[in-house]
Amino acid sequence: MTQQEAFIFSGFGGQGVMFVGQLLAYTAMDCGLNVTWIPSYGPEMRGGTANCTVVISEKPIGSPIVRFPSVAVVFNLPSFDKYEPVIASGGLLVSNSSLVDQTSERDDITLLQIPGTDSADDLGNVRVTNLIMLGAALTARPVLTVDDVRASLADHIPAHRRNLLDLNYAALDRGVELASDLLVTA
Amino acid sequence: MSKELLKGNVAIAEAALRAGLQAYFGYPITPQTELLEHLSKRMIELDRVFLQAESEVAAINMVYGAACTGVRVMSSSSSPGVSLMQEGLSYIAGSELPCVIVDIMRGGPGLGNILPSQGDYFQVTRSAGHGDYRPIVLAPASVQEAIDFTVLAFDLADKYRHLVLVVADGLIGLMMEPCELPPFQPVRTTRPDWALTGADERERNVITSIYLKGEEMEGYNIKTQERLATIRATEQRWVEHLTDDCDLLIVGYGTAGRIAYTAIDEARSKGLRVGLLRPQTLYPFPEQRVAELAEQVERLLVVEMNAGQMLEDVKLAVAGRAPVDFFGRMGGMVPMPDEIVSAIDESFAKMAQPA
């Protein structure tokens, strides 16, 4: 990985954006990297969107908040509108195309349009949209491997959710497939 | 011990109970509520005292009472709640009681908002209540420091029989970082000899903050000032980053200090020699080291999330040896690294101008 990567996950409350950010943070920690996870908790989250920022670095992390993230994973249209313009040049935008019909005019970022919600529905549980989106993001930006995520998920998932482990693995794999197809075509 | 990923608020709570916290009294307020929430579960599991009071005023007076019995006791709140506690804090100080208070500061004045702020630097470092005293004030900049300083706070409180405040903001309170928790200390089974424990077998102890005669009150005041002189001489804590060769020294604490760390790396990559001194104790302020560095650097830049409060302590320490610039955001707005880089550029531009 480059020295530092900053991910923003943003969507409606209930789409699992906080959890998927925490999962990425656990994975970074388990891989021996420095990491910070910080949620939005101010007036902005009263508007129905929730977001979190995850900074991963080989060096100690100064600022846990960033103006120009290297990766934005957006689950809905307000999140697309907010973060598409501020992604750092050379960065990655993963957009949940099931709910976002916008496309980016920017030619200095990679855009992955992943039908996250629809694909999660196909898998039988719309609540794993977040794992599909994470699998896709890490395929295009292999800061950490999907296998690392799988291991951390198994280690940190609460006992009463262990029955969902296989579904979550399947969602990660689905995200990898969708992103791989798009990246080959591009 | 293996690393855990914890929120600052939860980490402080868990560190406190591992430091032997015996009683907690508090009232919920964002952005510190997870601290109280964690203790509400854990203190009961460990068969210790957790009590959600009817207000901050009640909570701090319960803390006062428990502190009189010589047990490890704490409360936590955020800016408006800490304002409500001021009278109790002063009584605790006047009674020379060890006690730990956590203040996860938010935007103000007034009800303000729940965003990260350092607007209460004056309130916490000057006296935290009426009367002629200063509490010890610790300012963590990471979840690990929040843990370490919580344990340290109890040790310093006991060592000096003094009020210790741990101050941070919502960014540190809500952020998750890898950290290591300290081992469990056993809850103390003995009580200090000054404590109120029931005087069946000994002379009675009196704990009070009322001294009606001027001479007696002044006697207390002199004793307190002597203690504070010792604290100033021995407890100044800070960390430095790239100060060996810097032309510009940034002074910033807590969240502002850690964001400055990122800005300094960016400025260094442009060839600007910038360093950082991050106070870990706000009182006692690391005045000796700031004074030494003021001899070495051309200029200083204070960065805070307020209108310039620690700025006054920096200027007192610098005592005219070098010019001191200031950059701050207020109202819960957190300075971004690039904004601090711009402030650094401005300071270097001033250095380049003929005096």
Side-chain angles (χ1 to χ4, degrees):
Chain A
M1 66 178 284
T2 52
Q3 278 199 335
Q4 184 160 307
E5 292 276 2
F7 285 73
I8 284 184
F9 297 91
S10 183
F12 293 124
Q15 285 184 308
V17 297
M18 297 298 185
F19 173 79
V20 79
Q22 285 183 8
L23 176 59
L24 184 65
Y26 273 113
T27 308
M29 179 179 77
D30 293 343
C31 291
L33 294 163
N34 293 299
V35 62
T36 56
W37 173 93
I38 186 151
S40 59
Y41 71 92
E44 56 183 340
M45 72 180 284
R46 266 63 170 177
T49 65
N51 71 70
C52 64
T53 303
V54 179
V55 179
I56 301 174
S57 178
E58 290 169 350
K59 296 197 306 175
I61 296 166
S63 177
I65 48 172
V66 290
R67 205 199 287 275
F68 308 108
S70 49
V71 180
V73 184
V74 297
F75 290 63
N76 63 7
L77 187 58
S79 304
F80 181 97
D81 290 341
K82 186 171 177 186
Y83 293 110
E84 186 265 345
V86 297
I87 296 168
S89 192
L92 170 69
L93 172 61
V94 186
S95 175
N96 179 15
S97 58
S98 305
L99 301 181
V100 181
D101 55 7
Q102 294 276 70
T103 186
S104 176
E105 299 296 313
R106 288 182 61 177
D107 56 11
D108 63 334
I109 60 171
T110 305
L111 171 67
L112 276 187
Q113 291 178 293
I114 300 291
T117 307
D118 293 337
S119 304
D121 209 19
D122 292 343
L123 287 173
N125 192 333
V126 73
R127 289 167 66 191
V128 293
T129 304
N130 54 355
L131 273 288
I132 292 173
M133 299 295 279
L134 179 64
L138 290 179
T139 304
R141 198 88 173 178
V143 178
L144 298 158
T145 70
V146 172
D147 281 343
D148 293 332
V149 175
R150 205 184 288 269
S152 293
L153 186 61
D155 283 350
H156 301 288
I157 199 167
H160 66 283
R161 294 259 185 266
R162 282 207 87 81
N163 58 326
L164 296 175
L165 205 49
D166 286 339
L167 176 63
N168 278 281
Y169 289 160
L172 271 173
D173 291 342
R174 188 81 191 105
V176 173
E177 283 165 29
L178 289 165
S180 302
D181 290 349
L182 287 171
L183 291 166
V184 168
T185 341
Chain B
M1 191 163 284
S2 66
K3 291 218 166 187
E4 303 188 42
L5 189 69
L6 293 179
K7 266 189 189 186
N9 284 332
V10 172
I12 291 171
E14 186 64 27
L17 62 89
R18 287 169 183 238
L21 177 69
Q22 287 160 280
Y24 174 94
F25 308 90
Y27 188 80
I29 181 171
T30 307
Q32 69 77 50
T33 297
E34 296 87 356
L35 201 168
L36 170 138
E37 183 186 22
H38 186 77
L39 287 175
S40 71
K41 176 166 174 270
R42 296 282 284 140
M43 292 294 272
I44 304 305
E45 282 172 5
L46 296 168
D47 198 24
R48 303 181 192 175
V49 174
F50 172 90
L51 202 155
Q52 181 176 320
E54 67 270 35
S55 71
E56 288 88 348
V57 175
I60 196 63
N61 282 289
M62 293 175 188
V63 167
Y64 184 19
C68 288
T69 69
V71 298
R72 283 199 155 174
V73 56
M74 79 181 275
S75 187
S76 60
S77 191
S78 177
S79 308
V82 173
S83 287
L84 284 167
M85 291 182 178
Q86 298 289 292
E87 181 194 46
L89 293 177
S90 178
Y91 280 48
I92 287 166
S95 303
E96 301 176 277
L97 292 168
C99 161
V100 174
I101 305 294
V102 178
D103 182 1
I104 305 297
M105 297 185 277
R106 56 188 248 183
L111 204 49
N113 61 35
I114 59 177
L115 296 169
S117 168
Q118 297 178 329
D120 305 333
Y121 180 93
F122 283 149
Q123 184 186 45
V124 296
T125 61
R126 264 44 193 176
S127 67
H130 61 277
D132 208 355
Y133 81 100
R134 316 275 290 258
I136 295 171
V137 184
L138 307 175
S142 65
V143 173
Q144 186 64 56
E145 270 191 355
I147 291 169
D148 297 343
F149 290 2
T150 299
V151 178
L152 176 65
F154 283 104
D155 292 341
L156 292 174
D158 281 343
K159 179 176 177 185
Y160 294 106
R161 278 183 69 179
H162 205 78
L163 174 63
V164 182
L165 305 184
V166 179
V167 302
D169 58 63
L171 193 136
I172 291 165
L174 274 295
M175 176 172 62
M176 291 177 96
E177 271 188 305
C179 55
E180 284 183 43
L181 287 163
F184 264 96
Q185 289 180 36
V187 167
R188 219 167 31 200
T189 49
T190 56
R191 305 279 182 87
D193 57 11
W194 51 260
L196 306 187
T197 56
D200 276 357
E201 306 280 322
R202 58 161 170 78
E203 288 292 295
R204 72 186 185 130
N205 286 333
V206 177
I207 293 177
T208 182
S209 71
I210 188 167
Y211 298 93
L212 289 175
K213 291 181 184 163
E215 295 85 345
E216 287 178 7
M217 187 76 249
E218 193 184 39
Y220 160 89
N221 293 136
I222 289 168
K223 195 168 127 198
T224 298
Q225 291 306 318
E226 286 171 352
R227 186 192 312 137
L228 289 173
T230 307
I231 289 169
R232 269 199 304 278
T234 50
E235 303 298 347
Q236 294 179 24
R237 285 173 165 82
W238 69 93
V239 289
E240 294 178 31
H241 178 56
L242 302 176
T243 51
D244 286 349
D245 66 344
C246 66
D247 300 316
L248 179 72
L249 177 70
I250 295 185
V251 186
Y253 58 94
T255 293
R258 101 176 253 161
I259 293 172
Y261 186 94
T262 300
I264 286 167
D265 280 358
E266 285 181 38
R268 283 265 171 180
S269 69
K270 297 198 292 183
L272 299 174
R273 294 195 301 189
V274 193
L276 171 71
L277 183 144
R278 179 167 64 77
Q280 295 173 306
T281 49
L282 304 184
Y283 187 88
F285 183 74
E287 55 193 356
Q288 289 159 338
R289 187 57 186 152
V290 170
E292 279 169 24
L293 285 170
E295 296 278 1
Q296 178 196 312
V297 302
E298 282 195 49
R299 213 174 175 95
L300 292 91
L301 170 63
V302 173
V303 179
E304 294 183 82
M305 282 144 56
N306 59 40
Q309 298 191 15
M310 179 184 66
L311 176 63
E312 294 191 2
D313 284 335
V314 173
K315 283 183 171 172
L316 282 170
V318 169
R321 292 177 186 90
V324 182
D325 298 327
F326 176 74
F327 175 72
R329 295 294 306 263
M330 297 174 284
M333 296 302 292
V334 177
M336 300 301 274
D338 61 291
E339 293 175 312
I340 300 177
V341 172
S342 298
I344 291 169
D345 288 339
E346 279 177 37
S347 289
F348 273 93
K350 285 178 193 157
M351 272 188 239
Q353 286 165 6

